Amino acid sequence: MSEMMKNYIEEAEKALLHTYNRYQIVLDRGDGVYLYDLDGKKYLDFVSGIAVFALGYNNKEYNDALKAQIDKLLHTSNYYYNVPAIEAAIKMKEVSGMDRVFFTNSGAEAIEGALKAARKYHYLKTGKSDGEIIAMNHSFHGRTFGALSVTGNPHYREAFEPMIGNVKFADLNDFGSVEALVTDKTCAIILETVQGEGGIFPATEEFLTKIRELCDEKDILMILDEIQCGMGRTGYMYAWQKYGIKPDIMTTAKALGCGVPVGAFLMTEKVGANSLVAGDHGTTYGGNPFACAAVSKVLDLFKQDNIIENVKEVAPYLEKRLDELKDEYDFIIDRRGAGLMQGLVFNRPVSEIINKALENGLILINAGTEIIRFVPPLIITKENVDDMISILRSCLESV
Ligand SMILES: Cc1ncc(COP(=O)(O)O)c(C=O)c1O
């Protein structure tokens, strides 16, 4: 490592709050599926900023659209209309089939809005402020208080208790455990269609269908968190679209802006007409012209560049190659996931393998201590998969 990179890392450790154990590289630029550090070393990226850079780095059309918007207008208040936000909302409605969009600055903030909408729906229906929310064990919905309150991992919550009240936890894919928690105060059931941070666990079709039926029967709102698994990652624009069901509220972020911080929560007309009204919710930056120009261009490029078709073509190949590794090494005990959101489950911590991969020019990330997560840019090719597998195999041999 050069002195320059070492110095930057030392300065970072002095200046930044220690909320991350960072890998010892300073990333400088990206191109396609590759990242380069300050010393010019090239890395094949199978993380994409954790499921963010769907289109790959340095996409010219995307960059040009952002540059044009910078020269035009970066920000206005939400008290005025702006064309990029209108266009982005129309395109999001089209790809999701949802009816109303609220733009946020992050995933966690989208979750906050979704929870507020559900509580307000319950309040208008019953006249009471006692709505209960059912969330899932091992879920992850973000670090703000509302999002943390529905995150089913005590490790993230413990030091920050008390959380918001009236939240109960059931088990993903165990419908009985959800049913057992339902009361006449239940206003929402929230889950990730594919659990990400919790270890890459897809919700089953049966579970999602039964939750949908339960919600319809009892007028409970089904909230699907598509922040990590959405935006084409599973081979569908939103992972729930595979199953013939539709949530009442949906959250999205990460790849929505492909690098520009933006998220959204979307709802059906029924929820929109019976929940948040003027004065109930807001944000200064959410939905500003710059962020929405990014969203709008991302959605155009998804169509133009057949991003979802590429996921459908490459994902089965990634699964096949990961399955081969699983069969080859007895310390790999499972492979699971959906589309280009995959996890290899080890019977031991994976940090050493990930560090070794980094040394060898491959960026990987964990999901929990014993799972390597694969969430590459959605433009990857089968050749990129082969390159990744060959580096990973050499790391597995050496540890
Ligand atoms: C499923 C899910 N929900 C919510 C979040 C929080 O998003 P953000 O980090 O943008 O606040 C994440 C982030 O990893 C996530 O994976």
Side-chain angles (χ1 to χ4, degrees), residues 20 50-52 105-111 139-144 147 151 191-198 225-229 251-254 262-263 341 373:
Y20 287 90
I50 314 196
V52 168
N105 303 284
S106 68
E109 194 189 335
I111 296 287
S139 61
F140 183 85
H141 297 290
R143 304 291 193 153
T144 53
T151 288
L191 64 147
E192 297 154 84
T193 321
V194 182
Q195 282 190 345
E197 305 298 311
D225 180 347
E226 291 267 338
I227 288 165
Q228 189 162 156
C229 64
T251 58
T252 173
K254 286 192 183 275
V262 58
M341 181 173 179
R373 170 171 28 170

Side-chain angles (χ1 to χ4, degrees), residues 51 119 175 204 219 260 281 296 322 368 391:
R119 283 260 169 97
F175 181 67
T204 63
D219 196 18
V260 169
H281 198 59
S296 197
L322 292 175
I391 300 174

Side-chain angles (χ1 to χ4, degrees), residues 6 33 38 46 102 109 117-118 120 125 127 184 197 207 219 223 255 264 287 318 336 364 369 387 392:
K6 214 184 274 172
V33 296
L38 272 181
F46 264 66
F102 184 103
E109 194 189 335
K120 181 74 192 291
K125 189 173 74 175
D184 55 5
E197 305 298 311
F207 186 68
D219 196 18
I223 305 175
L318 173 64
R336 59 177 177 247
L364 294 173
T369 50
D387 291 347
L392 179 55

